[in-house]
Amino acid sequence: MLPQQVVIIGAALIFLGSLSYIRDTLRGKNKPNRVTWLMWGISPLVGAAIAWSEGATLWEGLPIFMSGFIPILILTSTFLNKQAYWKLTIFDYACGFFSILALVFWLFADQPAVAVLLAITGDVIAGLPTIRKSWIDPKSESLTLYFLGGIDKVLGLLILQSWAFIYSGFLLAVLAQNIIIIC
């Protein structure tokens, strides 16, 4: 187990990756899917809140929090360049709907593990449009952010004092999504 403060390195890496991604979005190179990035912002923030409410340290929750904060920054950048977003389809809206539905169910979940599972489900469903887009049009995504995000999640996993699902589940899910998009 690494010292918990090492997640600051991961947070800095993902923040630098986001600046690169935002730059490419503003230039029109990236075409972020707004449904994905909105839900990728909401789901991790819910996951971080759950983890912290269940006793996770500030450092243990930071990688999850950053997984939500960064997408909100990226989503915002899509409104600054009208050419820099992916045209939404019925598939995108359906994924957004089911992602929101998972989060609504989270509100009624009385158990932290169920709540985290619902947050992960919402996050994964929200990611499907971007995963699909990254395979259909790989040039519409800059991979630096996903690579640095993967490093951030690995560092987050390496500092955990407990590998209980409520602490590790979200990090593992986001790491898996990053790997799928990169590959």
Side-chain angles (χ1 to χ4, degrees):
M1 178 173 80
L2 295 176
Q4 292 191 346
Q5 293 79 358
V6 79
V7 296
I8 294 172
I9 296 168
L13 288 173
I14 197 169
F15 185 74
L16 290 173
S18 74
L19 293 178
S20 170
Y21 193 95
I22 289 169
R23 181 200 64 222
D24 289 347
T25 299
L26 294 174
R27 291 180 179 169
K29 178 181 177 197
N30 289 341
K31 302 213 180 294
N33 181 300
R34 286 180 176 162
V35 170
T36 293
W37 291 96
L38 171 64
M39 296 312 299
W40 272 354
I42 294 171
S43 295
L45 294 176
V46 169
I50 293 167
W52 282 325
S53 73
E54 289 301 312
T57 67
L58 171 68
W59 307 114
E60 289 171 329
L62 184 62
I64 302 169
F65 172 81
M66 290 300 286
S67 292
F69 176 69
I70 296 303
I72 296 300
L73 292 178
I74 290 169
L75 174 67
T76 303
S77 74
T78 69
F79 293 100
L80 300 175
N81 179 351
K82 299 291 185 197
Q83 306 302 317
Y85 70 93
W86 189 256
K87 305 288 188 240
L88 300 178
T89 66
I90 292 173
F91 175 74
D92 302 311
Y93 288 115
C95 288
F97 171 77
F98 287 112
S99 180
I100 290 170
L101 191 61
L103 290 179
V104 168
F105 286 140
W106 165 79
L107 293 173
F108 300 104
D110 196 22
Q111 300 206 358
V114 172
V116 171
L117 180 61
L118 289 168
I120 289 168
T121 301
D123 193 68
V124 169
I125 292 171
L128 293 176
T130 293
I131 290 169
R132 180 175 174 251
K133 180 177 73 72
S134 72
W135 292 346
I136 292 170
D137 185 11
K139 292 183 181 179
S140 69
E141 288 291 329
S142 296
L143 299 182
T144 302
L145 175 63
Y146 299 103
F147 178 76
L148 293 175
I151 292 172
D152 173 55
K153 300 312 165 262
V154 168
L155 290 174
L157 289 166
L158 292 175
I159 64 114
L160 291 179
Q161 296 176 8
S162 166
W163 274 74
F165 178 72
I166 62 170
Y167 303 125
S168 64
F170 208 90
L171 294 173
L172 289 167
V174 174
L175 176 62
Q177 285 184 82
N178 285 350
I179 291 168
I180 290 168
I181 290 171
I182 290 170
C183 295

